Amino acid sequence: MLGLDNVISLGATGPYRTEKGWEFSQDAQGKDPVLGIRYIHDVYSAQDPDFTGRPTVPLIVDTQSGKGVNNDHFWLSIYLETAWQDFHRPDAPDLYPHAQRQDIDALNQAIYQDINLGVYKAGFAHTQQAYESAYDRLFARLDEFEHRLEHQRYLFGPHLTDADIRLFPTLARFDLVYYPLFRTNRNRLVDYKNLWAYARDIYQIPEVKESTDFAFIKESYFRSPHLAALFGNTYNLL
């Protein structure tokens, strides 16, 4: 959307984390074509040969050294919108306008804690109390956004911002996986008049539609061995 594909290549791992971590299982010969590696762990090992933690994605990698330079998934989109601004295409949207940055930052925190992470707080809760707390916060926030979108196209009015980009992935997965698998099942997304229309609207953006793969999403959750260990083999991939 910003035109950064001219300076940052995009690599994608397989749909779920294997016993050896995230793997480039869908690329030719099982290796990322730019970095020539099989596992994300190889990037972390290049940075620290003694690394024993769990490698995470997304991750920005220096293709010259093969080392990871940033895996801060909360701020990563902001960095792409600001630090990389000199490389934006001329007609790129301003997703982080100066006049709204403080408000966007505040709303991003709410989206992240109550929605992006909220579905996982509910799905992975170890107690009934923790589940109900996350569940209530999630749907309170969705109800709030449903009302917010009653008379405006996006979260901050007529123009798309970073906040919309952050909210969309959870909405895209909601009815497919979070509603049935994580038991965030008070409402489906399609039951929200405004949120449902909003999600469909964002999906029509060519770059969003191109990078949203619903079959991949379903496989990544319903065939993940780690999730199967947590939830049991109670769901089938449809």
Side-chain angles (χ1 to χ4, degrees):
M1 192 180 299
L2 299 177
L4 291 176
D5 50 315
N6 291 322
V7 292
I8 305 177
S9 61
L10 179 64
T13 62
Y16 44 76
R17 185 162 49 90
T18 70
E19 291 183 357
K20 294 184 178 181
W22 295 104
E23 179 183 5
F24 292 98
S25 56
Q26 299 188 330
D27 288 320
Q29 299 178 339
K31 292 184 177 181
D32 177 84
V34 175
L35 300 173
I37 61 173
R38 184 176 183 86
Y39 299 101
I40 285 291
H41 192 285
D42 297 338
V43 177
Y44 286 76
S45 297
Q47 185 77 29
D48 178 6
D50 298 322
F51 178 78
T52 58
R54 190 176 78 181
T56 61
V57 289
L59 173 68
I60 291 184
V61 181
D62 177 358
T63 58
Q64 298 299 310
S65 66
K67 294 181 178 180
V69 295
N70 198 302
N71 67 348
D72 186 343
H73 65 280
F74 181 82
W75 288 104
L76 191 54
S77 63
I78 299 296
Y79 299 147
L80 296 177
E81 293 155 9
T82 55
W84 290 82
Q85 193 166 16
D86 289 347
F87 299 97
H88 289 186
R89 69 188 191 197
D91 62 341
D94 185 0
L95 300 176
Y96 196 51
H98 279 278
Q100 294 177 301
R101 288 185 179 183
Q102 187 172 357
D103 293 333
I104 291 173
D105 288 346
L107 195 64
N108 281 350
Q109 285 286 350
I111 292 171
Y112 179 67
Q113 291 295 335
D114 296 341
I115 297 180
N116 299 149
L117 289 185
V119 290
Y120 293 93
K121 291 176 182 178
F124 295 159
H126 292 287
T127 67
Q128 183 67 21
Q129 182 179 4
Y131 164 75
E132 291 180 1
S133 175
Y135 180 102
D136 290 343
R137 289 172 66 89
L138 167 66
F139 283 103
R141 192 66 69 180
L142 291 176
D143 291 346
E144 174 190 326
F145 288 164
E146 172 73 3
H147 178 72
R148 186 180 184 122
L149 293 166
E150 181 71 36
H151 301 294
Q152 60 189 48
R153 185 175 183 181
Y154 300 118
L155 293 175
F156 283 95
H159 301 294
L160 191 77
T161 69
D162 183 85
D164 301 295
I165 299 299
R166 289 170 185 267
L167 178 58
F168 177 77
T170 302
L171 299 184
R173 297 184 184 111
F174 199 86
D175 290 5
L176 284 177
V177 294
Y178 297 140
Y179 180 93
L181 187 58
F182 288 8
R183 297 179 177 84
T184 54
N185 51 12
R186 196 201 76 182
N187 297 86
R188 300 169 301 168
L189 180 63
V190 296
D191 297 324
Y192 285 103
K193 173 186 173 183
N194 300 320
L195 274 170
W196 175 231
Y198 163 84
R200 298 200 319 271
D201 186 16
I202 294 178
Y203 180 71
Q204 296 307 310
I205 299 171
E207 295 88 351
V208 174
K209 189 172 186 178
E210 181 183 357
S211 58
T212 304
D213 186 337
F214 292 110
F216 186 95
I217 290 170
K218 287 194 288 186
E219 183 173 2
S220 69
Y221 284 85
F222 288 103
R223 286 185 174 166
S224 166
H226 293 87
L227 291 182
L230 287 171
F231 296 110
N233 297 313
T234 57
Y235 296 94
N236 294 316
L237 180 68
L238 301 179

